[in-house]
C-alpha cells in the first residue's frame, strides 16, 4: 500500500534523478562544493528576544481541586475558575475532559510511579479538548482514544508537558491556532498521523520529546517561529516534518529551526488513514520540508533512515494535495547547516530507486533531495553529503543559530485590552439592540424611555436584566440576560445610560 | 390572509397600481406613514458613528484571532467585517431586497429565494427563477455574509456587488437586464427620491452601482452572533445542555472533525473543499469551482458554508440533496468518496475519512447544530414598497411568520 501512495513523489524524484544524470553525466556524484555564497539569512535573528520565562513562573493562583480515582475530572473542571489547579491522582479515568475556561492547570499526581491514566477504551473521541488561554496539562498517561490525545482549538500560552500518549488515535498532541506555547518531555507512540502536530500556531517550542512508532513524529504545519529541539524521533514513518498544507485558512509556514534532534531509523511502515496527507509519506524519511520557508536544519543526527535523510519538496509530494492559489508551493530560503547524516538511503522504499541503484547510477538514495523549485536556500559543506537538486543552493554565510534560545515569548500573550466601556458598548449593540433602539419602539421599550426611568441608576438596570419581571402590559416580558457576567451587565447598563442616538 | 396577500401579489405587475399596503401584515414596528422615509438610525447590532455610518459591535470584538483570520476556538475574534454603510443606504437596500420590481416580470424579489423565515434561503433543494424551473444550485443563506470574502457555491465572485449581478441578470433566475432594471427604478419617482437621499453625492438618476451598493449594505446588516452557543462561548456554560455540550465535543473532536472546516466563531474557515456529496438523481455531476478556475484540483470543490442558523436552512449541500441535518451529518460517516460517481477522480479533502460515528454521535451533533440558531437581529420586513408590489412576492406562505 505504501508503495502505491509514495509512487508519485518517487516518480518526480526519479525524473529529477534522470535529469541530473543527463545534465551531469561524467561528473562525480561527490563533487566537492563549488557554490556561490548565499546572503546570510536574517530571519532567525529577528526573534523578539523572547525568553519563555513565563513557563517557569507557574500560572496557578487560585483553588486546588483534587480528583481521586473513581471521581470525574470534568466535575472538577466545572467547578474551577481561572487560576485554579486541578490535581488528578493515580487511577483510571474514562472520559473526555473539555476545558473552555482560561488559566486552568490540570496536573497529574504521580505517586510511587503510579500515574493517572486517561483511557478512551477506543470508544471515546478525545482525551483533552481545550479552547481557553493559559492551559497547562501535565503528567498524564493518555491512551486508546479515537481522535486526539490532547487537542487545543485556539488558546494561547499553553504548556503540554510530561505526558505519555500511546495509541491515542489521529494525533497525540495537537494544539491548533495558538500563540506562545510549549510542548516538552512527552513520550508518544502508535499515533496514526502526527504524534506531535503543531497546527497553525505561532511562537512555539517543541523540545525533549520522545516520539516513536507513529506515522509522523513531529509535524510543524502552517506555523511561524517554531523551535524543534532535542527531540528523539525513532522508528516513525517520517521523523520531523515542516509543512505548508494547502487549503488551510492560515497559509504560511516560516522561521522554523529544527536543531539538535536525533532522527533515527524512521522506517516504520506507513499506517496512515487512507486519504490523509501523511498516508503518502514514504517510509524511511528523516526530515521532510514541504513548501515551508526559512527552515533551518542544524546539528541533527540523522541516521539509518532507509529512504532519505532530508527530503525537500513542493506540493507534488502529497498524492492527495490540492492546489491553493493563496499558498506558495515552493520551499524558499532554507538553511541546512552542519548535520550528522549517516546510513540514510540504504534501502529505499520503492522499486524505482532500486532500479537506479541496480544499474549502478547511484549507490543508494541521497541523503538530501530537493524536488521542485524554490530560491534563496543555502547549505554548509554540501560536499559532505550525497545530494540531488541542490544545484542552485548557495554556501551558507552562518554556521549556527545559537543566538535563538527559544521562540516562545517572554511574557504570556495578554488578552485583548478591552475597557469596560467598550465591553458595555459591544453588549449593548450585540445583544440589547435586537429589542431596544434609541428612540423607536421595537420589541422592547426605546432606550430613551429606559434612560428616563433609570437615570443615575445603572445598578437598577443590571439587576433587572438578570432577573426581569413583566412591567408593561403592552410589551412582552424580557428574557433574562443572566448569561452575561455581573461585570458585563453593569457595564452595559452604564453604557445604555449614555447612548444618545 | 395568505390568500389575500397572494392575490394582491398576483395582481401586481410592474406597471400595476399600488395595492393597499395596510392589509399586508407586518406585525413589527414600522410606523405607517405617507411616502417612504429612510431610516436615520442603524439597524440593530450597529452603532451609528460620528461619521454617520454604521459599525458592527458584538461581543467577539473582545477577542483576537491568529493572523486576524477569524478562525480558532470559542473566544476567538471574527474575520474582518464589511460594514461602514450609511443607515439610509442599508434601509434603501432593505426595500430593494424585498421588491420584486428587480426581476424581469416583477414575479421575484431577492427575498423570494432568500426568505427571512427560512434563514435567508428558500427551503428548496434548488431555487426556482422567473421561468419557474429549478436553477443549478441551492440558495445559500445570507446570515453573516458581511464576513465572507467569496460568493456563490463555487466562490466565483469576490464581492457581493459582483455576486448579485448573477441572479439579477441570469435568464433563468430573476431574468432582468441592467437597462430594464435602471429604467424601471428611474421611472419610479419614489425610488429616485430615495436614492438621492441615500446617495446625496451621486449624479442625477439611479445608477447600477448604487443599486448594488444599497443591496450589499442591507445584506451585510444580517448578523447572527447571539445564539445559545455564543452564550456558552462567552463563558455562560449553562446556556447549553449536557447533550449539547457533548454534541459540541463531537463537533470539534478529531473523529468527526467538523470544526476543522466549519471553524468557530463563524463556523466556516472560508475555504473551499471537495467532499464528494452526491448530486440529485438525473443531474450531471457539478464540477464546482473547477468551472470558474479551470483547475482540475478544484473539481467538485464548493465553498464551506457557515453553519450559523443551519437549522433554518434545510435542505442541505449545494444542490439540496439532504433533507435534514441528520442526513447531512450522516453523509460524513458513510465512507470516504462513497457518493462520488464512477469514473470521477476527485481530490477529496483529507478530513473526509471514515470516522465511524455512532447513531448517538449523530444525534448529539444535530442537537448541537440547533444551538447555532439566533435571529434576534432579524430585519423588519417592509410594510410596503415603492413599487407597490408585495414584499412577500414569491414567498407568500412566509407572511404568517411575520404576523
Amino acid at each position: 500500500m505504501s508503495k502505491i501512495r509514495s509512487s508519485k513523489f518517487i516518480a518526480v524524484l526519479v525524473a529529477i534523478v534522470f535529469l541530473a544524470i543527463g545534465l551531469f553525466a561524467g561528473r562525480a556524484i561527490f563533487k566537492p562544493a563549488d557554490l556561490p555564497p548565499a546572503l546570510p539569512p536574517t530571519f532567525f535573528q529577528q526573534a523578539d528576544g523572547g525568553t519563555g520565562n513565563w513557563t517557569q513562573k507557574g500560572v496557578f493562583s487560585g483553588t486546588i481541586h483534587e480528583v481521586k480515582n473513581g471521581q470525574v475530572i470534568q466535575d472538577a473542571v466545572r467547578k474551577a475558575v481561572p487560576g485554579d489547579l486541578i490535581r488528578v491522582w493515580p487511577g483510571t479515568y474514562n472520559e473526555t475532559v473539555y476545558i473552555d475556561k482560561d488559566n486552568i492547570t490540570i496536573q497529574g499526581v504521580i505517586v510511587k510511579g503510579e500515574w493517572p491514566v486517561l483511557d478512551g477504551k477506543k470508544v471515546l473521541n478525545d482525551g483533552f479538548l481545550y479552547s481557553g488561554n493559559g492551559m497547562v496539562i501535565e503528567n498524564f498517561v493518555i491512551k486508546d482514544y479515537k481522535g486526539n490525545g490532547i487537542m487545543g482549538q485556539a488558546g494561547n500560552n499553553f504548556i503540554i508537558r510530561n505526558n505519555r500518549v500511546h495509541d491515542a488515535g489521529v494525533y497525540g498532541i495537537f494544539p491548533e491556532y495558538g500563540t506562545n506555547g510549549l510542548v516538552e518531555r512527552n513520550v508518544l507512540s502508535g499515533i496514526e498521523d502526527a504524534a506531535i502536530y503543531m497546527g497553525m500556531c505561532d511562537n512555539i517550542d517543541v523540545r525533549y520529546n520522545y516520539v516513536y512508532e507513529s506515522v509522523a513524529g513531529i509535524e510543524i504545519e502552517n506555523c511561524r517561529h517554531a523551535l524543534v529541539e532535542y527531540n528523539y524521533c525513532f522508528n516513525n514513518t517520517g521523523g520531523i516534518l515542516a509543512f505548508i498544507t494547502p487549503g488551510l485558512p492560515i497559509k504560511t509556514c516560516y522561521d522554523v529551526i529544527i536543531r539538535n534532534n536525533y532522527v533515527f531509523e524512521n522506517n516504520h511502515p506507513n499506517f496512515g488513514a487512507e486519504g490523509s496527507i501523511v498516508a503518502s509519506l514514504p517510509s524511511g524519511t528523516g526530515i521532510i520540508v514541504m513548501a515551508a520557508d526559512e527552515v533551518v536544519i542544524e546539528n541533527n543526527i540523522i541516521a539509518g533512515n532507509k529512504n532519505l535523510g532530508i527530503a525537500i519538496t513542493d506540493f507534488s509530494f502529497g498524492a492527495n494535495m490540492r492546489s491553493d492559489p493563496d499558498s506558495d508551493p515552493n520551499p524558499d530560503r532554507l538553511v541546512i547547516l552542519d548535520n550528522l547524516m549517516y546510513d540514510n538511503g540504504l534501502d529505499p522504499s520503492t522499486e524505482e530507486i532500486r532500479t537506479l541503484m541496480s544499474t549502478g547510477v547511484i549507490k543508494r538514495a541521497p541523503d538530501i533531495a530537493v524536488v521542485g523549485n524554490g530560491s534563496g536556500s543555502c547549505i554548509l559543506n554540501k560536499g559532505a553529503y550525497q545530494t540531488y537538486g541542490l544545484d542552485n543552493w548557495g554556501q551558507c554565510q552562518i554556521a549556527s543559530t545559537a543566538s535563538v534560545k527559544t521562540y516562545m515569548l517572554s511574557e504570556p500573550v495578554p488578552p485583548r485590552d478591552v475597557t469596560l466601556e467598550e465591553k458595555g458598548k459591544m453588549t449593548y449593540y450585540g445583544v440589547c439592540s435586537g429589542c431596544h433602539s434609541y428612540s423607536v419602539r421595537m420589541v422592547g421599550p426605546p432606550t430613551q424611555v429606559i434612560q428616563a426611568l433609570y437615570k443615575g441608576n445603572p445598578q437598577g438596570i443590571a439587576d433587572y436584566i438578570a432577573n426581569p419581571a413583566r412591567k408593561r402590559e403592552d410589551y412582552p416580558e424580557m428574557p433574562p440576560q443572566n448569561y452575561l457576567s455581573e461585570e458585563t451587565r453593569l457595564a452595559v447598563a452604564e453604557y445604555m445610560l449614555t447612548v444618545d442616538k | 390572509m395568505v390568500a389575500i396577500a397572494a392575490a394582491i401579489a398576483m395582481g401586481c405587475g410592474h406597471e400595476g397600481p399600488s395595492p393597499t399596503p395596510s392589509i399586508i401584515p407586518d406585525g413589527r414596528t414600522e410606523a405607517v406613514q405617507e411616502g417612504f422615509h429612510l431610516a436615520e438610525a442603524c439597524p440593530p447590532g450597529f452603532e451609528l458613528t460620528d461619521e454617520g455610518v454604521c459599525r458592527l459591535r458584538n461581543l467577539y470584538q473582545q477577542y483576537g484571532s491568529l493572523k486576524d483570520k477569524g478562525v480558532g476556538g470559542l473566544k476567538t475574534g471574527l474575520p474582518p467585517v464589511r460594514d461602514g454603510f450609511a443607515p439610509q443606504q442599508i434601509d434603501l437596500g432593505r426595500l430593494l431586497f424585498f421588491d420584486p420590481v428587480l426581476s424581469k416580470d416583477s414575479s421575484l424579489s431577492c427575498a423570494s429565494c432568500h426568505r427571512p423565515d427560512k434563514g435567508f434561503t428558500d427551503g428548496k433543494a434548488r431555487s426556482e427563477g422567473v421561468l419557474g424551473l429549478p436553477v443549478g444550485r441551492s440558495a445559500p443563506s445570507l446570515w453573516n455574509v458581511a464576513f465572507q470574502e467569496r460568493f456563490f457555491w463555487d466562490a466565483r465572485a469576490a464581492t457581493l456587488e459582483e455576486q448579485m449581478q448573477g441572479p439579477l441578470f441570469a435568464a433563468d433566475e430573476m431574468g432582468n437586464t441592467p437597462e430594464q432594471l435602471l429604467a424601471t427604478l428611474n421611472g419610479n419617482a419614489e425610488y429616485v427620491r430615495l436614492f438621492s437621499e441615500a446617495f446625496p453625492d451621486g449624479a442625477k438618476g439611479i445608477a447600477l452601482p448604487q443599486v448594488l451598493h444599497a443591496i450589499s449594505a442591507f445584506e451585510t446588516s444580517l448578523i447572527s452572533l447571539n445564539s445559545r452557543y455564543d452564550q456558552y462561548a462567552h463563558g455562560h456554560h449553562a446556556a447549553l445542555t449536557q447533550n449539547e455540550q457533548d454534541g459540541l465535543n463531537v463537533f470539534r473532536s478529531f473523529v468527526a472533525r467538523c470544526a476543522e472546516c466549519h471553524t468557530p466563531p463563524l463556523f466556516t474557515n472560508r475555504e473551499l473543499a471537495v467532499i464528494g456529496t452526491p448530486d440529485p438523481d438525473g443531474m450531471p455531476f457539478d464540477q464546482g469551482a473547477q468551472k470558474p478556475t479551470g483547475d482540475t484540483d478544484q473539481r467538485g470543490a464548493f465553498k464551506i458554508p457557515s453553519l450559523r442558523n443551519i437549522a433554518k436552512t434545510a435542505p442541505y449541500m449545494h444542490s439540496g440533496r439532504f433533507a435534514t441535518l441528520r442526513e447531512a451529518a450522516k453523509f460524513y460517516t458513510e465512507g470516504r468518496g462513497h457518493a462520488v460517481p464512477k469514473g470521477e477522480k476527485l481530490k477529496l479533502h483529507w478530513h473526509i475519512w471514515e470516522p465511524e460515528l455512532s447513531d448517538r454521535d449523530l444525534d448529539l451533533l444535530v442537537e448541537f447544530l440547533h444551538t447555532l440558531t439566533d435571529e434576534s437581529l432579524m430585519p423588519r420586513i417592509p410594510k410596503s414598497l415603492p413599487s407597490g408590489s408585495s414584499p412577500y412576492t414569491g414567498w407568500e406562505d412566509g407572511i404568517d411568520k411575520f404576523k
Side-chain angles (χ1 to χ4, degrees), chain B residues 325-344:
Chain B
L325 277 175
R326 185 69 157 61
E327 286 172 55
K330 192 159 182 275
F331 162 81
Y332 293 93
T333 196
E334 293 195 316
R336 178 180 161 84
H338 70 274
V340 176
K342 264 208 161 112
E344 279 293 343

Side-chain angles (χ1 to χ4, degrees), chain A residues 321-390:
Chain A
M321 215 64 75
R322 191 161 59 77
S323 64
D324 181 345
D326 300 321
S327 283
D328 173 17
N330 297 319
D332 299 313
R333 301 179 303 285
L334 308 184
V335 177
I336 299 181
L337 302 178
D338 281 331
N339 292 278
L340 172 61
M341 304 194 69
Y342 180 69
D343 254 3
N344 297 301
L346 283 184
D347 184 17
S349 54
T350 59
E351 291 299 319
E352 293 95 325
I353 290 284
R354 288 169 184 276
T355 305
L356 279 176
M357 290 160 60
S358 67
T359 55
V361 177
I362 55 174
K363 286 182 182 166
R364 61 177 191 236
D367 292 311
I368 308 171
V370 180
V371 176
N373 298 313
S375 63
S377 295
C378 71
I379 181 168
L380 267 190
N381 302 321
K382 180 180 161 188
Y385 319 105
Q386 186 174 358
T387 65
Y388 284 108
L390 276 68

Side-chain angles (χ1 to χ4, degrees), chain B residues 274-313:
Chain B
V274 183
I275 64 172
T277 58
D279 285 299
D281 292 334
M283 269 190 81
F285 178 76
D286 189 334
Q287 53 181 308
Q290 184 189 355
K291 194 171 177 195
T293 63
D295 182 352
T296 53
D297 280 7
Q298 308 279 349
R299 186 166 181 78
F302 295 100
K303 231 175 71 172
I304 296 163
S306 168
L307 300 185
R308 286 183 172 275
N309 281 330
I310 193 71
K312 296 280 177 178
T313 65

Side-chain angles (χ1 to χ4, degrees), chain A residues 107-353:
Chain A
Q107 182 184 66
V109 182
I110 304 165
V111 182
K112 294 179 182 169
E114 294 296 314
W115 291 50
V117 179
L118 253 69
D119 186 348
K121 294 183 159 178
K122 285 291 163 195
V123 179
L124 296 174
N125 288 339
D126 306 274
F128 285 103
L129 278 174
Y130 70 85
S131 71
N133 297 316
M135 189 75 224
V136 179
I137 299 174
E138 60 187 0
N139 308 343
F140 283 91
V141 172
I142 303 169
K143 63 172 193 170
D144 292 335
Y145 283 86
K146 287 162 66 186
N148 295 334
I150 300 173
M151 180 178 195
Q153 280 163 338
N156 301 326
N157 315 319
F158 56 88
I159 298 174
I160 300 171
R161 183 161 58 197
N162 200 41
N163 300 288
R164 310 284 180 259
V165 184
H166 301 294
D167 200 6
V170 185
Y171 299 114
I173 293 174
F174 177 23
E176 192 178 29
Y177 302 115
T179 297
N180 200 27
L182 174 63
V183 175
E184 70 172 4
R185 299 201 312 270
N186 301 284
V187 181
L188 303 100
S189 72
I191 309 294
E192 68 179 56
D193 201 303
I196 296 176
Y197 172 25
M198 312 301 287
M200 293 183 271
C201 290
D202 278 9
N203 294 98
I204 44 171
D205 284 8
V206 179
R207 62 192 189 197
Y208 319 126
N209 298 286
Y210 175 26
V211 292
Y212 64 99
E213 291 172 12
S214 297
V215 174
I218 297 171
E219 179 173 357
I220 307 297
E221 182 189 75
N222 297 34
C223 294
R224 293 136 301 278
H225 318 301
L227 175 60
V228 181
E229 184 164 48
Y230 297 118
N231 299 286
Y232 188 101
C233 301
F234 168 66
N235 198 23
N236 306 287
T237 304
I240 299 176
L241 286 56
F243 274 22
I244 290 178
T245 294
L248 293 174
I250 293 174
K251 307 287 183 185
T252 57
C253 184
Y254 56 83
D255 194 7
V256 178
I257 297 178
I258 300 171
R259 183 172 75 183
N260 299 332
N261 300 285
Y262 199 65
V263 185
F264 183 64
E265 289 186 358
N266 289 287
N267 300 323
H268 199 285
N270 191 323
F271 58 103
E274 185 188 349
S276 69
I277 288 166
V278 296
S280 46
L281 270 183
S283 172
T285 313
I287 294 175
I288 306 168
V289 177
M290 180 174 78
D293 302 322
E294 299 173 358
V295 181
V296 182
I297 302 175
E298 175 189 8
N299 267 350
N300 301 286
I301 296 175
I302 305 168
N305 302 290
K306 289 193 293 193
N307 189 47
L308 282 167
I310 301 173
I312 293 163
T313 171
D314 57 20
F315 293 156
S316 62
F317 167 76
N320 201 34
M321 215 64 75
R322 191 161 59 77
S323 64
D324 181 345
D326 300 321
S327 283
D328 173 17
N330 297 319
D332 299 313
R333 301 179 303 285
L334 308 184
V335 177
I336 299 181
L337 302 178
D338 281 331
N339 292 278
L340 172 61
M341 304 194 69
Y342 180 69
D343 254 3
N344 297 301
L346 283 184
D347 184 17
S349 54
T350 59
E351 291 299 319
E352 293 95 325
I353 290 284

Side-chain angles (χ1 to χ4, degrees), chain B residues 36 183-196 206 386-387:
Chain B
F36 289 86
T184 308
L185 292 177
N186 279 307
N188 182 310
E190 200 70 352
Y191 268 127
V192 171
R193 184 178 65 77
L194 294 173
F195 270 86
S196 67
I206 301 169
S387 70

Side-chain angles (χ1 to χ4, degrees), chain B residues 67-115:
Chain B
K67 300 280 165 200
D68 210 16
K69 283 287 190 177
V71 280
L74 275 62
K75 292 186 177 181
T76 296
L78 287 153
V81 67
R82 185 172 177 201
D83 61 2
F85 295 95
Q88 293 83 358
Q89 293 171 346
I90 297 172
D91 207 29
L92 174 59
R94 185 174 64 102
L95 297 174
L96 292 166
F97 184 85
F98 287 95
D99 199 333
V101 79
L102 268 60
S103 64
K104 176 187 182 177
D105 55 3
S106 283
S107 64
L108 293 174
S109 71
C110 305
S112 308
C113 296
H114 299 284
R115 299 171 46 158

